[in-house]
Amino acid sequence: MTMTQQWHGFWHGHTGRWILDQGLHIVMLLIAAVLAVRFVTWVAQQVTRQLDVGFTESDALVRSEATKHRQAVASVIQWVSIVLIAIWAVVQIADVLNFSVGGLVAPATVIGAALGFGAQQLVKDLLSGFFIIVEKQYGFGDLVSLTVAGISAEARGTVENVTLRVTRLRSSDGELFTIPNGQIVKTVNLSKDWARAVIDIPVSTSADLNRVNEVLHEVCDQAMDNPLLGELLLDAPTLMGLESIEVDTVTLRMVARTLPGKQFEAGRQLRVLVMRALGRAGIVTTADATVSVVQDDAGVAQATEAAQESVKQ
């Protein structure tokens, strides 16, 4: 028998007919499933890219709440679509192989009951993730602090991804936290709609509080005119007044509403303005802090002398 006859006989045999009929059908189903997954992934990436480009090209300093939610929803839809495509492919392949899915109902019920106890955490994660997305607790780019069950320390960072099962946070140190949604006990969103910068200002008990209040009120009135700080604030800072009294210091508190997630940057800028204003007025908290912060101001010499006199006394 020649090679041609053997090749012809193979394709007309049982194995060859199975490959041409069922095998080719299975391959086409797998190709279709892979293409569908790649298409869904491409669409999700395009949506994410368009949201990023829209934010980059806009004048906004922070993402809007709608943009954060859309990006989180796009990630969830991508994940759910891939799971549905995988289930569809498995069912179709089982049908091609004449594998009766109905016959697995009874065994699947027993196995499902046995695995149900082990899958409780997975179901809990999925339900928690669903409510996180629906209730818009947080989204991509939000600065959050999460209390995780069984862990004393809180996980704080910027949300990089939200799925139905896990939330991924990037900390300020660059660490990536992957937290199952079912283990999140409490959520604190530090960048929802707006934020508040809180600045505590300690001054000596010997300082003239009336003069200190005047200086701080001037800082509040002029803060919106600052080119760096004005873009971060939603309204002028407010001096709340005396916050605490210690043996040798009193602490005054100033608060300011800022853009979401910008409270820390605004707080740093506002502290610089406060220290410079106090230095120009000759009011100091500590000599070292005054010299390091307001060394380019005209009131440095006066502030330093005042600090040295207070130390001698």
Side-chain angles (χ1 to χ4, degrees), residues 301-312:
Q302 184 179 0
T304 305
E305 291 177 1
Q308 292 175 349
E309 289 178 1
S310 62
V311 171
K312 293 177 180 180

Side-chain angles (χ1 to χ4, degrees), residues 123-289:
V123 175
K124 184 179 179 181
D125 293 341
L126 296 178
L127 289 176
S128 299
F130 173 77
F131 285 110
I132 287 173
I133 300 299
V134 171
E135 295 174 357
K136 301 181 181 180
Q137 296 181 18
Y138 52 80
F140 177 83
D142 273 333
L143 179 62
V144 298
S145 178
L146 305 179
T147 301
V148 184
I151 301 177
S152 57
E154 293 184 346
R156 174 176 292 191
T158 303
V159 178
E160 286 201 347
N161 192 16
V162 183
T163 66
L164 288 180
R165 197 183 73 83
V166 298
T167 295
R168 291 184 175 87
L169 302 182
R170 179 75 65 177
S171 70
S172 57
D173 296 329
E175 301 170 331
L176 181 64
F177 296 100
T178 301
I179 306 171
N181 293 327
Q183 296 185 13
I184 299 176
V185 179
K186 182 178 69 174
T187 300
V188 180
N189 194 328
L190 304 176
S191 58
K192 182 73 171 179
D193 297 327
W194 57 273
R196 173 171 286 146
V198 180
I199 300 93
D200 288 333
I201 308 154
V203 296
S204 173
T205 53
S206 61
D208 185 356
L209 291 183
N210 292 329
R211 178 56 181 157
V212 173
N213 284 327
E214 291 177 2
V215 173
L216 296 181
H217 278 298
E218 291 178 0
V219 173
C220 294
D221 295 336
Q222 299 173 3
M224 296 296 293
D225 298 329
N226 186 280
L228 296 177
L229 187 59
E231 295 181 351
L232 307 177
L233 297 178
L234 295 178
D235 46 36
T238 303
L239 181 63
M240 304 300 293
L242 195 62
E243 180 66 21
S244 64
I245 302 175
E246 303 293 338
V247 176
D248 55 352
T249 60
V250 293
T251 302
L252 294 90
R253 173 163 293 183
M254 181 184 296
V255 298
R257 285 203 320 142
T258 72
L259 293 173
K262 297 296 182 179
Q263 64 269 38
F264 305 109
E265 183 178 352
R268 288 189 290 267
Q269 295 288 341
L270 197 53
R271 289 184 184 91
V272 171
L273 296 182
V274 168
M275 291 301 298
R276 287 178 174 175
L278 293 177
R280 285 191 294 267
I283 304 169
V284 295
T285 54
T286 60
D288 293 339

Side-chain angles (χ1 to χ4, degrees), residues 7 10-11 14 33 51 55 59 87 122 156 226 245 277 283 295 302:
W7 182 258
F10 172 79
W11 289 111
H14 178 73
L51 293 175
F55 168 69
D59 296 331
I87 294 175
L122 177 61
R156 174 176 292 191
N226 186 280
I245 302 175
I283 304 169
Q295 57 185 355
Q302 184 179 0

